[in-house]
Amino acid sequence: MARPLEGLRVIDVGTRIGAPFCAGLLGEWGAEVVKVEQPRGGDFMRTIGPFVDGYSLFWAVEGRGRKSVTCDLRTPEGQDLFRRLVSTADVVCENFRPGTMEEWGLGPAALDPHLVFVRISAFGQDGPYSARPGLDRLGVAYGGLLHLTGEADRPPVRPGVTVADYLTGVFAAEAALAALYRRDASRTGVGSGTGTGAVIDASLYGSVLRILEWTIPAYDRLGTVRAREGNRLSNSAPLDNYPTADGNYVCVVAGGDANFGRLCRAMGRLDLLEDPRFTTLADRARNGDTINALVAQWTSTQSAAEVERACVAHDVPVATAYSARDIALDPHFEARHDLVAVDDPVLGPIRQQSPYPRLVGESTPVPSGAPSLGAHNREVWCDLVGLSSSEFEDLRAKGIV
């Protein structure tokens, strides 16, 4: 069965994570993704560990599902070549500092207006901070998440992955699809398409800001400055990551009245249902330290698996804090095809995260492995763009491709 975005061509001219991840998501829905890299060294992601025999496993994941070509965009010949390439495309994804593409004569205004031009940056394309350099951590900080992450009496703690980059890539891919739909709607007979593309301005901090829940309204109306609460919530209990006897942690979410009752039954502590300190959610929140300590006392006498079994038997929301080993061995992940073996050109089959989400009733697509630098140069520059063999060899000799 054809995948939804087959026939769409995406040019990934980004580096690191945000823009390439956006392009990669479109690729996982069937778009052809052509990655443009500098001839000398290529994407910075190729140099980030961990490594197997000098080969980046980070790149093996983030470089998958696309073709690699080389082109020096700092030269007039490379810029001309890029213009010819994007004239065949639908989407361009970039995450240079604002103004860089314009300096090269490759900004949206200089290219075909049918393009959907995805621009990812730390602070956005305008505003007083737009020219600042910035990476994921700055997006987490300026977006307000870093201030909320960690224990109340300790310094902020970054999330365990580059969440601002990935979030921005997801939001940008969503916006690209919306822009493509508007551009092409008249062709399907379901809308009045404009025939023109759009420029998408996606900032790292903006994607983080968007997921801050009630944080901004509470400041606006109540003057509340939300603060770090660690693994608990001030308005709900019991809820925590509880230690177990085998050195693991289990997350139990039982703040609501029904779930609290079920947890008491799982713990064999029906007496807690009669305790006036725990009668309502508000009561439990006021006595959060006490009720969380009681739950921790119970979990610490059992293994994580035993806690899970007891909670599942009584319909209590529960999950062990999984490591990579746990994910790799859990039958649920296998049953849902959440991991897939990608055939990497350097290392062979590597187990990775599957494309996500999936369409019900359709098989999970397996991305192609992350390409070696310039692996598709002849295919793209000659077969697609139309360079002759002699033209290609001349550009290669000059170091432009």
Side-chain angles (χ1 to χ4, degrees), residues 357-373:
R358 59 184 179 178
L359 299 180
V360 174
E362 300 185 21
S363 59
T364 302
V366 179
S368 59
S372 58
L373 182 62

Side-chain angles (χ1 to χ4, degrees), residues 23 37 54 70-71 80 97 129 172 196 207 228 247 261 268 275 283 297 309 330-331 361 375 383:
E37 305 183 66
T70 53
C71 182
D80 179 65
R97 195 184 300 195
Y129 301 161
T196 59
S207 64
R228 292 184 292 284
D275 193 315
D283 294 328
Q297 183 179 359
R309 279 196 294 270
D330 192 297
D383 299 343

Side-chain angles (χ1 to χ4, degrees), residues 169-391:
V170 172
F171 279 122
E174 173 197 28
L177 292 176
L180 288 166
Y181 177 83
R182 186 181 67 181
R183 185 193 73 177
D184 299 338
S186 60
R187 301 181 190 176
T188 66
V190 297
S192 55
T194 63
T196 59
V199 178
I200 295 166
D201 180 357
S203 64
L204 299 184
Y205 83 88
S207 64
V208 175
L209 176 65
R210 180 60 184 84
I211 65 166
L212 284 195
E213 304 172 339
W214 49 266
T215 305
I216 303 303
Y219 176 73
D220 182 62
R221 289 305 180 96
L222 303 174
T224 300
V225 177
R226 191 173 180 180
R228 292 184 292 284
E229 298 178 317
N231 294 314
R232 301 180 183 180
L233 293 176
S234 60
N235 60 2
S236 183
L239 184 154
D240 203 346
N241 300 333
Y242 300 99
T244 61
D246 56 355
N248 289 307
Y249 287 85
V250 291
C251 178
V252 177
V253 182
D257 291 344
N259 282 331
F260 179 64
R262 294 170 185 142
L263 177 60
C264 290
R265 293 179 180 87
M267 295 169 58
R269 291 294 307 272
L270 294 180
D271 59 299
L272 298 178
L273 294 173
E274 307 301 323
D275 193 315
R277 295 173 298 175
F278 311 135
T279 303
T280 68
L281 175 60
D283 294 328
R284 293 189 293 278
R286 279 193 297 271
N287 294 282
D289 288 345
T290 303
I291 189 58
N292 277 308
L294 290 170
V295 176
Q297 183 179 359
W298 171 64
T299 62
S300 64
T301 65
Q302 304 177 70
S303 68
E306 290 170 333
V307 173
E308 278 209 22
R309 279 196 294 270
C311 287
V312 169
H314 290 85
D315 213 22
V316 179
V318 64
T320 299
Y322 266 11
S323 67
R325 180 186 297 107
D326 297 322
I327 292 171
L329 298 177
D330 192 297
H332 184 77
F333 290 83
E334 181 178 358
R336 288 184 51 80
H337 308 289
D338 292 321
L339 303 178
V340 65
V342 173
D343 189 12
D344 187 88
V346 175
L347 299 179
I350 303 177
R351 209 172 180 196
Q352 302 179 12
Q353 308 91 307
S354 292
Y356 173 88
R358 59 184 179 178
L359 299 180
V360 174
E362 300 185 21
S363 59
T364 302
V366 179
S368 59
S372 58
L373 182 62
H376 301 89
N377 270 344
R378 282 193 174 273
E379 175 187 336
V380 172
W381 296 133
C382 296
D383 299 343
L384 176 62
V385 174
L387 291 181
S388 67
S389 182
S390 61
E391 287 174 320

Side-chain angles (χ1 to χ4, degrees), residues 12-28:
D12 166 17
V13 68
T15 186
R16 296 183 186 261
I17 297 174
F21 187 64
C22 173
L25 290 177
L26 299 175
E28 289 179 357

